[in-house]
Amino acid sequence: ETGVTQTPRHLVMGMTNKKSLKCEQHLGHNAMYWYKQSAKKPLELMFVYNFKEQTENNSVPSRFSPECPNSSHLFLHLHTLQPEDSALYLCASSLTDESPFFGSGTQLSVL
Amino acid sequence: AQSVSQHNHHVILSEAASLELGCNYSYGGTVNLFWYVQYPGQHLQLLLKYFSGDPLVKGIKGFEAEFIKSKFSFNLRKPSVQWSDTAEYFCAVNSNSGTYKYIFGTGTRLKVLA
């Protein structure tokens, strides 16, 4: 366990499905992040929340919809995804001015 | 916009060889710099970080990195690698202005032969 728990670990979905990724941390961190990790590409920052308020949205398509109900939980709602959205989705959390602490990720395959 | 370049995508070394992985960043202001490591099947972990002060930073497991401001570089080094250092290494940058925007490079896959 890393302190940042992501579920599910693996997800296969069709392009018309709706699914959600969940992230949970009990480290007392105030910031939570979603990153996308694809082969041969840099980790792409998607969203950042600080104390439940979104502070970064890195031009992410609207088929990805984040939700942060409190500082300990972060969701990524997925709908009508494309095959190129297949990737490892990483959640992270941190305190202000501290580097992100990552979860193990959800490996997403879009068919 | 900030960016991070890691020019070595794959590196293969024998045990006891010395390691240097390159990292260059693009940003005009003051930055914080990081190296993360991802061992096979594991999550990304912080290896070391630079915020200010001594430009030579020492991290865990014998790794160190040197910040050279004039070259916009933060190269990772280890004098003698071990088989257990086989992993993917990521350089990251964050502007020193209280933002949460951590930008990562593409990573370097290191394979150490026993």
Side-chain angles (χ1 to χ4, degrees):
Chain A
E1 283 300 320
T2 75
V4 177
T5 303
Q6 291 188 243
T7 54
R9 294 294 299 271
H10 302 271
L11 178 62
V12 179
M13 59 187 288
M15 288 191 284
T16 58
N17 291 160
K18 287 185 180 181
K19 296 286 184 183
S20 296
L21 310 184
K22 180 182 175 182
C23 177
E24 186 173 350
Q25 59 91 7
H26 296 289
L27 301 170
H29 293 166
N30 51 280
M32 295 191 78
Y33 312 70
W34 280 117
Y35 278 86
K36 176 183 177 184
Q37 186 177 17
S38 306
K40 299 182 181 178
K41 287 187 175 181
L43 264 73
E44 298 173 49
L45 179 63
M46 300 175 74
F47 304 103
V48 184
Y49 281 80
N50 182 31
F51 290 111
K52 306 190 300 178
E53 300 299 319
Q54 188 177 112
T55 61
E56 294 286 342
N57 178 339
N58 210 24
S59 303
V60 180
S62 59
R63 57 186 185 269
F64 295 91
S65 174
E67 179 190 359
C68 189
N70 54 60
S71 292
S72 299
H73 294 86
L74 184 65
F75 296 89
L76 189 62
H77 304 299
L78 317 170
H79 63 98
T80 58
L81 294 191
Q82 305 298 309
E84 60 264 28
D85 296 322
S86 298
L88 182 67
Y89 288 86
L90 294 171
C91 176
S93 68
S94 76
L95 293 170
T96 302
D97 294 333
E98 290 289 331
S99 52
F101 191 82
F102 284 85
S104 299
T106 294
Q107 186 66 54
L108 174 67
S109 296
V110 181
L111 303 178
Chain B
Q2 296 174 28
S3 66
V4 176
S5 297
Q6 292 182 244
H7 305 293
N8 314 104
H9 296 297
H10 291 90
V11 173
I12 301 175
L13 295 172
S14 298
E15 274 195 315
S18 63
L19 170 73
E20 181 159 6
L21 301 182
C23 173
N24 288 90
Y25 65 92
S26 170
Y27 183 68
T30 306
V31 294
N32 299 319
L33 295 155
F34 309 86
W35 276 97
Y36 278 80
V37 60
Q38 189 172 30
Y39 297 103
Q42 295 189 28
H43 65 280
L44 273 163
Q45 303 171 47
L46 183 68
L47 200 54
L48 49 78
K49 60 187 177 185
Y50 172 80
F51 277 57
S52 64
D54 188 343
L56 185 62
V57 179
K58 294 193 184 299
I60 59 171
K61 305 188 181 185
F63 286 91
E64 65 179 30
E66 185 175 12
F67 170 51
I68 303 179
K69 189 174 180 180
S70 61
K71 295 185 177 180
F72 297 89
S73 71
F74 190 56
N75 292 355
L76 181 70
R77 300 196 293 247
K78 185 171 184 178
S80 176
V81 294
Q82 300 174 306
W83 178 80
S84 57
D85 293 324
T86 294
E88 191 160 14
Y89 294 81
F90 294 87
C91 183
V93 64
N94 165 252
S95 70
N96 191 14
S97 61
T99 75
Y100 297 93
K101 197 167 186 177
Y102 291 81
I103 305 301
F104 284 76
T106 51
T108 298
R109 285 188 185 271
L110 171 66
K111 184 169 185 176
V112 179
L113 304 175

